[in-house]
Amino acid sequence: FKAISFCIILSGLLDCFFPFCLLDLAKPPVNEPREPEQFLMQAPQGNPLLLSHTLQELLSKDSVQVELIPEKKGLFLKHVEYEVSSKRFKCSVYRRYNDFVVFHEMLLQKFPYRMVPALPPKRMLGADREFIESRRRALKRFINLVARHPPFSEDVLLKLFLSFSGSDVQNKLRELVQGVGDEFMTCRLATQAKDFLPADIQAQFAASRELIRNIYNSFYKLRDRAERIASRAIENASDLLIFGKELSALGSDTTPLPSWAALNNSTWGTLKQALKGLSVEFALLADKAVQQGKQEENDVVEKLNLFLDLLQSYKDLCERHEKGVLHKHQRALHKYSMMKKQMMSATVQNKEPESVEQLESRIVEQENAILTMELRNYFSLYCLHQETQLIHIYLPLTSHILGAFVNSQIQGHKEMSKVWNELKPKLSCLFVGSSNMPTPPLSGGTSTSRC
Protein backbone atom coordinates (compact mmCIF):
# COMPACT_ATOMS: atom_id res chain seq x y z
CA PHE A 1 0.00 0.00 0.00
CA LYS A 2 2.84 2.41 0.85
CA ALA A 3 4.55 1.64 -2.46
CA ILE A 4 1.28 2.44 -4.27
CA SER A 5 1.04 5.73 -2.35
CA PHE A 6 4.66 6.47 -3.33
CA CYS A 7 3.77 6.05 -7.02
CA ILE A 8 0.56 8.10 -6.72
CA ILE A 9 2.47 11.01 -5.15
CA LEU A 10 5.09 10.79 -7.90
CA SER A 11 2.38 10.88 -10.56
CA GLY A 12 0.92 14.02 -8.98
CA LEU A 13 4.40 15.57 -8.85
CA LEU A 14 4.88 15.02 -12.58
CA ASP A 15 1.40 16.42 -13.33
CA CYS A 16 2.19 19.63 -11.44
CA PHE A 17 5.70 20.01 -12.83
CA PHE A 18 5.45 19.48 -16.56
CA PRO A 19 2.70 22.04 -17.37
CA PHE A 20 4.82 24.77 -15.75
CA CYS A 21 7.94 23.43 -17.39
CA LEU A 22 6.39 23.62 -20.83
CA LEU A 23 5.43 27.26 -20.29
CA ASP A 24 9.10 28.14 -19.85
CA LEU A 25 10.29 26.33 -22.98
CA ALA A 26 10.62 28.06 -26.30
CA LYS A 27 8.65 26.27 -29.03
CA PRO A 28 10.97 24.44 -31.45
CA PRO A 29 10.57 25.02 -35.18
CA VAL A 30 8.46 22.51 -37.08
CA ASN A 31 10.37 19.39 -38.18
CA GLU A 32 13.21 20.24 -35.81
CA PRO A 33 12.51 18.14 -32.67
CA ARG A 34 14.69 18.95 -29.69
CA GLU A 35 15.11 17.40 -26.29
CA PRO A 36 13.44 19.31 -23.39
CA GLU A 37 16.72 19.32 -21.46
CA GLN A 38 18.27 21.52 -24.15
CA PHE A 39 15.84 24.32 -23.35
CA LEU A 40 16.57 24.09 -19.62
CA MET A 41 20.30 23.51 -19.69
CA GLN A 42 21.78 25.28 -22.71
CA ALA A 43 22.18 29.03 -22.56
CA PRO A 44 22.54 31.34 -25.57
CA GLN A 45 26.05 32.73 -25.70
CA GLY A 46 26.43 36.23 -24.39
CA ASN A 47 23.62 36.10 -21.83
CA PRO A 48 25.11 35.75 -18.33
CA LEU A 49 21.66 35.27 -16.80
CA LEU A 50 21.25 31.74 -18.14
CA LEU A 51 23.08 28.76 -16.67
CA SER A 52 24.68 26.14 -18.90
CA HIS A 53 25.32 23.45 -16.29
CA THR A 54 23.98 19.90 -16.35
CA LEU A 55 23.16 17.79 -13.32
CA GLN A 56 26.18 15.58 -13.92
CA GLU A 57 28.45 18.63 -14.06
CA LEU A 58 27.11 19.86 -10.72
CA LEU A 59 27.46 16.47 -9.05
CA SER A 60 31.02 16.08 -10.33
CA LYS A 61 32.17 19.43 -8.87
CA ASP A 62 32.92 17.74 -5.57
CA SER A 63 31.93 14.90 -3.28
CA VAL A 64 32.34 15.70 0.41
CA GLN A 65 32.20 13.09 3.17
CA VAL A 66 31.31 14.05 6.75
CA GLU A 67 32.14 11.38 9.34
CA LEU A 68 32.00 11.39 13.12
CA ILE A 69 35.30 11.07 14.96
CA PRO A 70 35.66 9.81 18.56
CA GLU A 71 34.18 12.20 21.10
CA LYS A 72 36.52 14.49 22.99
CA LYS A 73 35.61 15.39 26.54
CA GLY A 74 35.60 19.05 27.43
CA LEU A 75 35.54 20.52 30.91
CA PHE A 76 31.78 20.06 31.23
CA LEU A 77 30.44 18.67 27.96
CA LYS A 78 31.49 16.25 25.29
CA HIS A 79 32.29 17.86 21.95
CA VAL A 80 31.26 16.18 18.71
CA GLU A 81 33.79 16.61 15.92
CA TYR A 82 33.53 15.70 12.27
CA GLU A 83 36.10 14.69 9.71
CA VAL A 84 35.24 16.57 6.51
CA SER A 85 36.91 15.08 3.41
CA SER A 86 36.79 16.80 0.01
CA LYS A 87 37.45 14.80 -3.14
CA ARG A 88 38.10 18.03 -5.08
CA PHE A 89 40.68 19.48 -2.69
CA LYS A 90 42.08 16.04 -1.83
CA CYS A 91 42.27 16.71 1.90
CA SER A 92 40.53 16.09 5.19
CA VAL A 93 39.95 18.60 7.99
CA TYR A 94 38.32 18.45 11.41
CA ARG A 95 35.28 20.63 12.03
CA ARG A 96 32.87 21.19 14.90
CA TYR A 97 29.26 22.18 14.55
CA ASN A 98 30.05 25.80 15.45
CA ASP A 99 32.51 25.93 12.54
CA PHE A 100 29.62 25.06 10.23
CA VAL A 101 27.53 27.78 11.88
CA VAL A 102 30.12 30.50 11.21
CA PHE A 103 30.62 29.24 7.64
CA HIS A 104 26.85 29.41 7.11
CA GLU A 105 26.67 32.95 8.51
CA MET A 106 29.49 34.13 6.24
CA LEU A 107 27.81 32.59 3.19
CA LEU A 108 24.57 34.43 3.98
CA GLN A 109 26.47 37.65 4.53
CA LYS A 110 28.36 37.38 1.26
CA PHE A 111 25.60 35.79 -0.83
CA PRO A 112 22.27 37.11 0.53
CA TYR A 113 20.56 36.64 -2.85
CA ARG A 114 21.50 32.96 -3.30
CA MET A 115 20.15 29.65 -2.01
CA VAL A 116 22.11 29.00 1.17
CA PRO A 117 20.89 25.68 2.63
CA ALA A 118 19.83 25.71 6.27
CA LEU A 119 21.85 23.96 8.97
CA PRO A 120 20.36 21.29 11.24
CA PRO A 121 19.46 22.55 14.72
CA LYS A 122 21.94 22.61 17.59
CA ARG A 123 21.01 20.53 20.60
CA MET A 124 22.92 21.43 23.70
CA LEU A 125 21.99 18.70 26.19
CA GLY A 126 20.79 15.16 25.89
CA ALA A 127 21.98 14.61 22.32
CA ASP A 128 21.54 10.89 21.74
CA ARG A 129 23.19 8.83 19.03
CA GLU A 130 20.16 9.05 16.77
CA PHE A 131 20.21 12.85 16.88
CA ILE A 132 23.97 13.01 16.32
CA GLU A 133 23.72 10.69 13.30
CA SER A 134 20.78 12.66 11.89
CA ARG A 135 22.75 15.90 12.25
CA ARG A 136 25.82 14.35 10.60
CA ARG A 137 23.71 13.39 7.58
CA ALA A 138 22.21 16.88 7.44
CA LEU A 139 25.66 18.51 7.61
CA LYS A 140 26.84 16.25 4.79
CA ARG A 141 23.87 17.31 2.63
CA PHE A 142 24.53 20.96 3.45
CA ILE A 143 28.22 20.96 2.53
CA ASN A 144 27.64 18.99 -0.69
CA LEU A 145 24.92 21.39 -1.86
CA VAL A 146 27.24 24.31 -1.13
CA ALA A 147 30.25 22.65 -2.79
CA ARG A 148 28.23 22.05 -5.98
CA HIS A 149 26.57 25.48 -6.14
CA PRO A 150 28.16 27.42 -9.07
CA PRO A 151 29.03 30.73 -7.28
CA PHE A 152 29.86 29.07 -3.94
CA SER A 153 32.10 26.43 -5.50
CA GLU A 154 34.46 29.12 -6.87
CA ASP A 155 34.57 31.23 -3.72
CA VAL A 156 37.49 31.38 -1.28
CA LEU A 157 35.13 30.76 1.66
CA LEU A 158 34.49 27.21 0.52
CA LYS A 159 38.13 26.49 -0.23
CA LEU A 160 39.19 27.68 3.23
CA PHE A 161 36.46 25.71 5.01
CA LEU A 162 37.36 22.48 3.20
CA SER A 163 41.14 22.78 3.23
CA PHE A 164 42.32 24.99 6.14
CA SER A 165 43.75 22.78 8.89
CA GLY A 166 44.49 25.49 11.49
CA SER A 167 42.69 25.80 14.80
CA ASP A 168 41.17 29.27 14.19
CA VAL A 169 39.03 28.50 11.14
CA GLN A 170 36.15 30.64 12.44
CA ASN A 171 38.29 33.81 12.61
CA LYS A 172 39.78 33.06 9.21
CA LEU A 173 36.29 32.81 7.70
CA ARG A 174 35.23 36.13 9.23
CA GLU A 175 38.40 37.82 7.98
CA LEU A 176 37.65 36.75 4.41
CA VAL A 177 34.28 38.52 4.48
CA GLN A 178 35.20 41.56 6.57
CA GLY A 179 35.25 44.75 4.51
CA VAL A 180 34.64 42.94 1.20
CA GLY A 181 30.92 43.55 0.79
CA ASP A 182 28.26 41.19 -0.48
CA GLU A 183 27.85 39.79 -4.00
CA PHE A 184 26.06 42.94 -5.17
CA MET A 185 29.17 44.97 -4.33
CA THR A 186 31.61 42.57 -5.99
CA CYS A 187 29.73 41.36 -9.08
CA ARG A 188 30.64 43.37 -12.18
CA LEU A 189 27.15 42.83 -13.65
CA ALA A 190 25.20 43.87 -10.53
CA THR A 191 24.24 47.34 -11.81
CA GLN A 192 23.30 45.91 -15.23
CA ALA A 193 21.07 43.10 -13.93
CA LYS A 194 17.88 44.82 -15.10
CA ASP A 195 19.07 44.70 -18.73
CA PHE A 196 19.18 40.89 -18.70
CA LEU A 197 15.82 40.28 -17.03
CA PRO A 198 12.68 39.46 -19.03
CA ALA A 199 9.93 42.06 -19.01
CA ASP A 200 7.53 39.79 -17.13
CA ILE A 201 10.03 38.83 -14.44
CA GLN A 202 7.58 39.48 -11.59
CA ALA A 203 4.96 37.16 -13.13
CA GLN A 204 7.61 34.51 -13.76
CA PHE A 205 8.83 34.82 -10.19
CA ALA A 206 5.31 34.32 -8.83
CA ALA A 207 4.69 31.30 -11.10
CA SER A 208 8.05 29.74 -10.24
CA ARG A 209 7.48 30.22 -6.54
CA GLU A 210 4.12 28.46 -6.76
CA LEU A 211 5.66 25.63 -8.78
CA ILE A 212 8.49 25.09 -6.28
CA ARG A 213 5.98 25.10 -3.44
CA ASN A 214 4.00 22.32 -5.16
CA ILE A 215 7.12 20.30 -5.94
CA TYR A 216 8.30 20.65 -2.34
CA ASN A 217 4.97 19.38 -0.98
CA SER A 218 5.07 16.33 -3.27
CA PHE A 219 8.69 15.51 -2.50
CA TYR A 220 7.96 15.88 1.21
CA LYS A 221 5.27 13.20 0.90
CA LEU A 222 7.58 11.00 -1.19
CA ARG A 223 10.28 11.27 1.47
CA ASP A 224 7.74 10.38 4.17
CA ARG A 225 6.65 7.23 2.30
CA ALA A 226 10.23 6.25 1.47
CA GLU A 227 11.15 6.57 5.16
CA ARG A 228 8.26 4.29 6.09
CA ILE A 229 9.23 1.72 3.48
CA ALA A 230 12.85 1.67 4.68
CA SER A 231 11.78 1.55 8.35
CA ARG A 232 9.38 -1.28 7.63
CA ALA A 233 12.21 -3.32 6.05
CA ILE A 234 14.30 -2.88 9.21
CA GLU A 235 11.31 -3.73 11.43
CA ASN A 236 10.69 -6.81 9.28
CA ALA A 237 14.31 -7.83 9.89
CA SER A 238 13.79 -7.60 13.64
CA ASP A 239 10.63 -9.73 13.43
CA LEU A 240 12.35 -12.36 11.29
CA LEU A 241 15.27 -12.57 13.70
CA ILE A 242 12.97 -12.99 16.71
CA PHE A 243 10.89 -15.52 14.78
CA GLY A 244 14.02 -17.59 14.11
CA LYS A 245 15.20 -17.32 17.72
CA GLU A 246 11.84 -18.54 19.00
CA LEU A 247 11.99 -21.53 16.66
CA SER A 248 15.49 -22.26 17.95
CA ALA A 249 14.32 -21.92 21.57
CA LEU A 250 11.48 -24.31 20.83
CA GLY A 251 13.87 -26.81 19.28
CA SER A 252 16.28 -26.51 22.22
CA ASP A 253 13.63 -27.14 24.87
CA THR A 254 14.80 -29.85 27.28
CA THR A 255 11.56 -30.32 29.18
CA PRO A 256 10.95 -34.10 29.48
CA LEU A 257 7.88 -35.53 27.83
CA PRO A 258 5.21 -36.98 30.13
CA SER A 259 4.79 -40.75 29.94
CA TRP A 260 1.38 -40.58 28.31
CA ALA A 261 3.00 -38.77 25.31
CA ALA A 262 5.82 -41.31 24.89
CA LEU A 263 4.26 -42.70 21.73
CA ASN A 264 5.05 -39.44 19.97
CA ASN A 265 8.55 -39.11 21.46
CA SER A 266 10.42 -39.83 18.23
CA THR A 267 8.22 -37.42 16.28
CA TRP A 268 8.75 -34.57 18.73
CA GLY A 269 12.50 -35.13 18.79
CA THR A 270 12.68 -35.01 15.00
CA LEU A 271 10.59 -31.86 14.92
CA LYS A 272 12.76 -30.17 17.55
CA GLN A 273 15.91 -30.94 15.62
CA ALA A 274 14.40 -29.48 12.46
CA LEU A 275 13.11 -26.35 14.20
CA LYS A 276 16.46 -25.70 15.84
CA GLY A 277 18.24 -25.64 12.49
CA LEU A 278 15.88 -23.08 10.92
CA SER A 279 17.21 -20.16 12.98
CA VAL A 280 20.24 -19.81 10.70
CA GLU A 281 18.10 -19.11 7.63
CA PHE A 282 15.88 -16.69 9.52
CA ALA A 283 18.95 -14.82 10.75
CA LEU A 284 20.14 -14.61 7.15
CA LEU A 285 16.72 -13.32 6.06
CA ALA A 286 16.88 -10.69 8.78
CA ASP A 287 20.32 -9.63 7.60
CA LYS A 288 19.07 -9.27 4.01
CA ALA A 289 16.10 -7.17 5.18
CA VAL A 290 18.39 -4.87 7.20
CA GLN A 291 20.67 -4.42 4.19
CA GLN A 292 17.71 -3.46 2.02
CA GLY A 293 16.39 -0.98 4.60
CA LYS A 294 19.83 0.64 5.07
CA GLN A 295 20.37 0.85 1.33
CA GLU A 296 17.03 2.59 0.85
CA GLU A 297 17.84 5.00 3.69
CA ASN A 298 21.14 5.94 2.02
CA ASP A 299 20.20 5.87 -1.66
CA VAL A 300 16.54 6.93 -1.60
CA VAL A 301 15.66 8.77 1.64
CA GLU A 302 18.91 10.75 1.79
CA LYS A 303 18.65 11.86 -1.84
CA LEU A 304 15.06 12.95 -1.24
CA ASN A 305 16.24 14.86 1.83
CA LEU A 306 19.00 16.46 -0.25
CA PHE A 307 16.50 17.75 -2.79
CA LEU A 308 14.13 18.87 -0.04
CA ASP A 309 16.97 20.87 1.55
CA LEU A 310 17.58 22.54 -1.81
CA LEU A 311 13.88 23.33 -2.30
CA GLN A 312 13.62 24.71 1.23
CA SER A 313 16.60 26.98 0.59
CA TYR A 314 14.76 28.34 -2.46
CA LYS A 315 11.67 29.03 -0.37
CA ASP A 316 13.84 30.78 2.23
CA LEU A 317 15.45 32.86 -0.53
CA CYS A 318 12.04 33.99 -1.79
CA GLU A 319 11.14 35.12 1.73
CA ARG A 320 14.42 37.01 2.06
CA HIS A 321 13.70 38.75 -1.24
CA GLU A 322 10.24 39.87 -0.15
CA LYS A 323 11.04 40.72 3.47
CA GLY A 324 14.49 42.10 2.76
CA VAL A 325 15.21 43.99 -0.47
CA LEU A 326 11.61 44.51 -1.54
CA HIS A 327 10.50 45.70 1.89
CA LYS A 328 13.50 48.05 2.25
CA HIS A 329 12.81 49.47 -1.21
CA GLN A 330 9.19 50.20 -0.30
CA ARG A 331 10.24 51.87 2.96
CA ALA A 332 12.79 54.00 1.10
CA LEU A 333 10.12 55.12 -1.37
CA HIS A 334 7.77 56.01 1.47
CA LYS A 335 10.49 58.00 3.22
CA TYR A 336 11.26 59.82 -0.04
CA SER A 337 7.61 60.69 -0.50
CA MET A 338 7.45 62.17 3.01
CA MET A 339 10.57 64.28 2.34
CA LYS A 340 9.08 65.65 -0.86
CA LYS A 341 5.97 66.69 1.01
CA GLN A 342 8.12 68.43 3.64
CA MET A 343 10.03 70.20 0.85
CA MET A 344 6.84 71.47 -0.73
CA SER A 345 5.57 72.62 2.64
CA ALA A 346 8.85 74.44 3.40
CA THR A 347 8.78 76.18 0.01
CA VAL A 348 5.21 77.34 0.47
CA GLN A 349 5.92 78.61 4.01
CA ASN A 350 9.11 80.47 2.88
CA LYS A 351 11.35 78.88 5.51
CA GLU A 352 15.01 79.85 5.98
CA PRO A 353 17.32 78.94 3.02
CA GLU A 354 19.57 76.83 5.23
CA SER A 355 16.66 74.61 6.28
CA VAL A 356 15.57 74.22 2.65
CA GLU A 357 19.12 73.35 1.56
CA GLN A 358 19.43 70.72 4.29
CA LEU A 359 16.14 69.20 3.20
CA GLU A 360 17.26 69.21 -0.43
CA SER A 361 20.48 67.46 0.55
CA ARG A 362 18.56 64.80 2.44
CA ILE A 363 16.27 64.29 -0.58
CA VAL A 364 19.28 63.79 -2.84
CA GLU A 365 20.71 61.24 -0.39
CA GLN A 366 17.37 59.46 -0.28
CA GLU A 367 17.18 59.43 -4.08
CA ASN A 368 20.60 57.76 -4.17
CA ALA A 369 19.46 55.26 -1.56
CA ILE A 370 16.34 54.49 -3.63
CA LEU A 371 18.45 54.01 -6.74
CA THR A 372 20.69 51.57 -4.84
CA MET A 373 17.63 49.73 -3.55
CA GLU A 374 16.22 49.47 -7.07
CA LEU A 375 19.50 48.11 -8.38
CA ARG A 376 19.64 45.61 -5.51
CA ASN A 377 16.06 44.59 -6.18
CA TYR A 378 16.85 43.83 -9.83
CA PHE A 379 20.02 42.01 -8.86
CA SER A 380 18.05 39.95 -6.36
CA LEU A 381 15.61 39.01 -9.14
CA TYR A 382 18.57 38.26 -11.40
CA CYS A 383 19.94 35.82 -8.80
CA LEU A 384 16.48 34.35 -8.19
CA HIS A 385 16.18 33.67 -11.91
CA GLN A 386 19.46 31.75 -11.84
CA GLU A 387 18.55 29.87 -8.65
CA THR A 388 15.26 28.83 -10.28
CA GLN A 389 17.25 27.40 -13.18
CA LEU A 390 19.42 25.56 -10.67
CA ILE A 391 16.33 23.90 -9.20
CA HIS A 392 15.32 22.74 -12.68
CA ILE A 393 18.82 21.38 -13.30
CA TYR A 394 18.48 19.28 -10.14
CA LEU A 395 15.04 17.91 -11.09
CA PRO A 396 16.43 14.93 -13.09
CA LEU A 397 17.71 13.71 -9.71
CA THR A 398 14.19 12.26 -9.45
CA SER A 399 15.12 9.56 -11.96
CA HIS A 400 18.25 8.72 -9.93
CA ILE A 401 16.10 8.36 -6.80
CA LEU A 402 13.50 6.17 -8.51
CA GLY A 403 16.22 4.04 -10.08
CA ALA A 404 17.82 3.48 -6.68
CA PHE A 405 14.42 2.60 -5.17
CA VAL A 406 13.53 0.11 -7.90
CA ASN A 407 16.99 -1.52 -7.87
CA SER A 408 16.87 -1.86 -4.09
CA GLN A 409 13.47 -3.56 -4.24
CA ILE A 410 14.54 -5.91 -7.04
CA GLN A 411 17.83 -6.85 -5.36
CA GLY A 412 16.29 -7.18 -1.92
CA HIS A 413 13.43 -9.41 -3.03
CA LYS A 414 15.78 -11.47 -5.21
CA GLU A 415 18.20 -12.18 -2.36
CA MET A 416 15.45 -12.93 0.15
CA SER A 417 13.64 -15.16 -2.36
CA LYS A 418 16.84 -17.19 -2.74
CA VAL A 419 17.04 -17.75 1.03
CA TRP A 420 13.35 -18.67 1.25
CA ASN A 421 13.82 -21.24 -1.54
CA GLU A 422 16.85 -22.71 0.26
CA LEU A 423 14.79 -22.89 3.44
CA LYS A 424 11.84 -24.74 1.88
CA PRO A 425 13.46 -28.21 1.55
CA LYS A 426 14.43 -28.11 5.23
CA LEU A 427 10.76 -27.95 6.17
CA SER A 428 10.17 -31.50 4.95
CA CYS A 429 11.05 -32.92 8.36
CA LEU A 430 8.20 -30.94 9.88
CA PHE A 431 5.68 -32.96 7.85
CA VAL A 432 6.77 -36.44 8.97
CA GLY A 433 3.97 -38.20 10.81
CA SER A 434 4.11 -40.64 13.70
CA SER A 435 4.62 -43.53 11.28
CA ASN A 436 7.66 -41.76 9.81
CA MET A 437 5.76 -41.22 6.56
CA PRO A 438 5.61 -37.76 4.93
CA THR A 439 2.39 -35.88 5.47
CA PRO A 440 1.40 -32.82 3.41
CA PRO A 441 1.45 -29.35 4.97
CA LEU A 442 -1.87 -27.80 5.89
CA SER A 443 -1.63 -25.38 2.96
CA GLY A 444 -1.99 -28.26 0.53
CA GLY A 445 1.55 -27.95 -0.88
CA THR A 446 3.77 -30.94 -1.59
CA SER A 447 6.73 -31.98 0.44
CA THR A 448 9.54 -34.51 -0.04
CA SER A 449 11.31 -35.93 2.98
CA ARG A 450 15.08 -35.36 2.98
CA CYS A 451 15.74 -35.96 6.68
Side-chain angles (χ1 to χ4, degrees):
F1 175 77
K2 301 298 182 185
I4 294 174
S5 300
F6 189 91
C7 295
I8 292 173
I9 296 168
L10 177 63
S11 176
L13 172 63
L14 295 177
D15 288 342
C16 81
F17 165 63
F18 283 108
F20 280 93
C21 182
L22 293 174
L23 288 175
D24 294 337
L25 306 181
K27 294 183 179 179
V30 180
N31 300 326
E32 292 185 22
R34 293 173 61 187
E35 295 297 327
E37 287 185 357
Q38 288 181 284
F39 298 118
L40 293 174
M41 307 294 182
Q42 295 182 357
Q45 292 185 356
N47 190 345
L49 176 64
L50 303 181
L51 302 180
S52 59
H53 302 279
T54 65
L55 176 61
Q56 191 55 43
E57 288 172 348
L58 292 180
L59 297 179
S60 63
K61 279 183 175 291
D62 200 357
S63 177
V64 185
Q65 300 300 320
V66 178
E67 302 296 339
L68 284 168
I69 61 175
E71 294 178 344
K72 293 183 178 180
K73 292 185 178 181
L75 186 60
F76 299 106
L77 299 171
K78 291 182 179 180
H79 300 304
V80 178
E81 262 192 316
Y82 305 92
E83 183 179 9
V84 182
S85 306
S86 167
K87 184 177 180 180
R88 174 187 174 188
F89 295 106
K90 296 180 175 60
C91 64
S92 295
V93 293
Y94 296 115
R95 296 288 180 259
R96 291 176 55 187
Y97 176 79
N98 287 339
D99 298 331
F100 280 91
V101 171
V102 173
F103 178 55
H104 181 265
E105 290 173 353
M106 296 303 101
L107 281 175
L108 276 174
Q109 187 173 328
K110 193 170 185 179
F111 298 98
Y113 310 123
R114 300 289 182 179
M115 293 187 297
V116 179
L119 285 176
K122 181 175 183 178
R123 188 171 171 180
M124 293 297 295
L125 298 174
D128 53 21
R129 289 184 178 180
E130 184 178 351
F131 170 81
I132 292 174
E133 172 60 17
S134 175
R135 190 171 69 177
R136 182 198 67 81
R137 288 173 177 262
L139 291 174
K140 180 181 177 181
R141 297 194 303 268
F142 163 80
I143 194 61
N144 275 283
L145 285 173
V146 170
R148 295 163 182 170
H149 189 284
F152 302 161
S153 64
E154 305 304 320
D155 194 78
V156 290
L157 276 173
L158 178 71
K159 182 178 180 180
L160 186 141
F161 186 79
L162 292 178
S163 62
F164 180 72
S165 58
S167 58
D168 56 345
V169 62
Q170 296 183 22
N171 289 330
K172 292 292 184 182
L173 290 168
R174 292 188 178 99
E175 288 173 4
L176 284 179
V177 177
Q178 189 176 7
V180 175
D182 62 14
E183 189 183 10
F184 175 79
M185 302 295 292
T186 58
C187 178
R188 61 185 179 84
L189 296 174
T191 58
Q192 307 169 39
K194 181 180 180 181
D195 300 334
F196 300 106
L197 294 174
D200 60 342
I201 182 62
Q202 294 293 350
Q204 287 196 31
F205 167 62
S208 295
R209 191 176 186 183
E210 180 64 23
L211 167 62
I212 301 305
R213 184 184 293 115
N214 293 337
I215 293 176
Y216 177 89
N217 291 336
S218 292
F219 267 88
Y220 187 88
K221 294 175 183 176
L222 284 172
R223 193 276 313 274
D224 179 64
R225 296 298 170 178
E227 277 186 336
R228 295 186 183 205
I229 292 171
S231 297
R232 197 161 56 250
I234 296 174
E235 291 172 359
N236 184 38
S238 177
D239 291 338
L240 286 168
L241 189 62
I242 294 173
F243 194 93
K245 287 182 177 179
E246 290 302 321
L247 288 177
S248 179
L250 186 61
S252 302
D253 183 66
T254 58
T255 304
L257 286 174
S259 58
W260 59 269
L263 293 176
N264 295 323
N265 187 22
S266 61
T267 302
W268 176 236
T270 303
L271 285 173
K272 285 203 301 179
Q273 189 65 29
L275 291 173
K276 187 176 180 180
L278 297 180
S279 62
V280 175
E281 279 73 18
F282 277 94
L284 186 56
L285 286 167
D287 183 60
K288 298 294 184 185
V290 167
Q291 289 179 20
Q292 181 179 347
K294 294 296 184 182
Q295 183 178 350
E296 288 173 358
E297 281 183 349
N298 294 326
D299 296 342
V300 180
V301 177
E302 271 306 291
K303 287 180 179 176
L304 285 168
N305 278 327
L306 178 81
F307 195 54
L308 279 172
D309 289 348
L310 183 69
L311 294 172
Q312 182 62 53
S313 67
Y314 182 87
K315 294 170 64 180
D316 295 341
L317 176 61
C318 291
E319 289 187 9
R320 285 204 303 274
H321 172 74
E322 288 192 338
K323 295 180 179 179
V325 177
L326 202 58
H327 183 64
K328 288 179 181 177
H329 187 206
Q330 291 172 347
R331 284 197 304 174
L333 286 174
H334 176 72
K335 186 176 180 180
Y336 178 73
S337 175
M338 295 298 294
M339 286 182 177
K340 287 294 257 182
K341 289 180 180 178
Q342 291 177 9
M343 182 66 182
M344 292 177 61
S345 176
T347 303
V348 171
Q349 296 176 11
N350 293 322
K351 289 190 175 181
E352 296 180 2
E354 291 183 0
S355 300
V356 175
E357 287 179 4
Q358 290 177 358
L359 193 54
E360 287 178 344
S361 176
R362 289 173 56 197
I363 289 176
V364 171
E365 290 178 1
Q366 189 64 19
E367 287 174 346
N368 292 333
I370 290 173
L371 177 60
T372 301
M373 284 293 102
E374 287 179 349
L375 292 175
R376 280 188 173 273
N377 181 50
Y378 284 119
F379 183 68
S380 178
L381 289 170
Y382 175 95
C383 294
L384 265 168
H385 196 296
Q386 290 189 330
E387 301 302 273
T388 304
Q389 294 174 65
L390 200 58
I391 293 289
H392 282 253
I393 293 173
Y394 265 98
L395 275 171
L397 190 64
T398 308
S399 62
H400 293 228
I401 296 170
L402 285 175
F405 176 67
V406 171
N407 289 336
S408 173
Q409 290 291 318
I410 292 173
Q411 186 66 22
H413 284 86
K414 181 180 178 181
E415 292 182 359
M416 293 189 71
S417 177
K418 181 181 178 181
V419 179
W420 283 118
N421 285 324
E422 291 174 351
L423 175 63
K424 187 175 180 181
K426 297 185 178 182
L427 300 181
S428 57
C429 293
L430 301 179
F431 308 127
V432 177
S434 59
S435 59
N436 289 331
M437 294 296 292
T439 58
L442 295 178
S443 63
T446 58
S447 175
T448 303
S449 176
R450 298 185 183 181
C451 302

